[in-house]
Amino acid sequence: MYRTRRAALAGIAAVGGASLTGCLGGRATDSVTGGAEDTGAGAPPPTVDAGYHLAYEADTLVSESLDGGVGKDGIPSVDDPAFRPIAEADMAGNEPVFGVVRGGEAKAYPRRILSHHEIVNDEVGGESVAITYCPLTGTAQGFRRGDTTFGVSGRLVNSNLIMYDRATDSWWPQMLATGVDGSMADETLDEFRVVWTTAGEWATRHPDASLMTEETGYVRRYDSDPYGSYAPLSGYYVRDGTRFPPLASPEDGHAKSVVIGARTATGAVAFDKTTLLSERVLTGTVGEGGPAVIAVADPALSTGYVYRNPDEVAVEPDGDEYRVDGEGGFEAADLPLERLLAFDAMWFAWYGFYPDTAFVGEHTRAGYGG
């Protein structure tokens, strides 16, 4: 039997009530002026053969899901986004954006816009993609969508957005990238990296990038975050509590501290983001005592990358680049090692889904690690 929003009222009261949109709250009272085009159901989304480690069975995740209180598509995806050159953007340089590069094209999606929509069905580099964001877990992830589109189901698990695809109506918890209900249960989406960075950092790295605008087809107060603020840090993003009970809770660390997490078919690893940006290189394993991995920072984008390192080759900073086994000139995103897909997440959310995760670094403050 599903737990409902009512069952989590104690958790909501602990952090204070508010009129919300996003993963949790009610639909915004602003009217819809146009909105998403009817893109049709299409074929099922593309999947990959290699799945990710799951600490829970699919039926357990479904039974632990919560009614977010908004209903299916109560938080509307943006299916016809508009863009302008980032060089023409009138926005603060420290404003968080989600950066994507596909097929030689660079785009940026302002976090404050996605906090009201959570999913943008778009095309980047000639490829149909979905850019997704869950404010409650601090996770931005990208997926190939093929001929279909993704929408917001109105349900959560471990505080995380459950997406659905409009071809099969299957449920996909965003962080897991794995189907848990419907005809595509146990399938794994084709995921790609989304970089949590700032408008100024992304514009410096990609001066020809396009920036998503507020022309979404919906009337929303995009200058108002329903949960708080990242610049400066406030509200939900800095409090140690969560709005809904997590699947599991770590003994150490601030719930809203940020990790860069990676998972394989056999386990998961989380690197504290602030520690990584400070030390530049961290080593660890997938799960406790599993295969060796290494994380390196890209301070210019306030992000990091995780690689398999089975031979435990030496990696060290070399100016803005890195030396690998004595050879220099490698950028953080392009070491001669197998890169794992990784993304930012709030520590409580990562641990909730992966209680058997390895953790590397020092437990630090809440924030986005920048």
Side-chain angles (χ1 to χ4, degrees), residues 74 76 85 154-155 172 207 226 251 329-330:
R155 300 195 70 85
W172 308 88
E251 294 182 359
F330 296 104

Side-chain angles (χ1 to χ4, degrees), residues 33-75:
T33 62
E37 295 180 345
D38 182 5
T39 56
T47 58
V48 295
D49 292 334
Y52 294 124
H53 165 69
L54 296 178
Y56 308 92
E57 297 293 334
D59 58 355
T60 298
L61 293 166
V62 172
S63 67
E64 289 291 326
S65 70
L66 300 170
D67 180 356
V70 297
K72 188 176 183 179
D73 289 324
I75 300 166

Side-chain angles (χ1 to χ4, degrees), residues 345-361:
M346 293 176 181
W347 171 230
F348 88 88
W350 186 264
Y351 186 91
F353 275 133
Y354 304 109
D356 51 357
T357 187
F359 175 82
V360 183

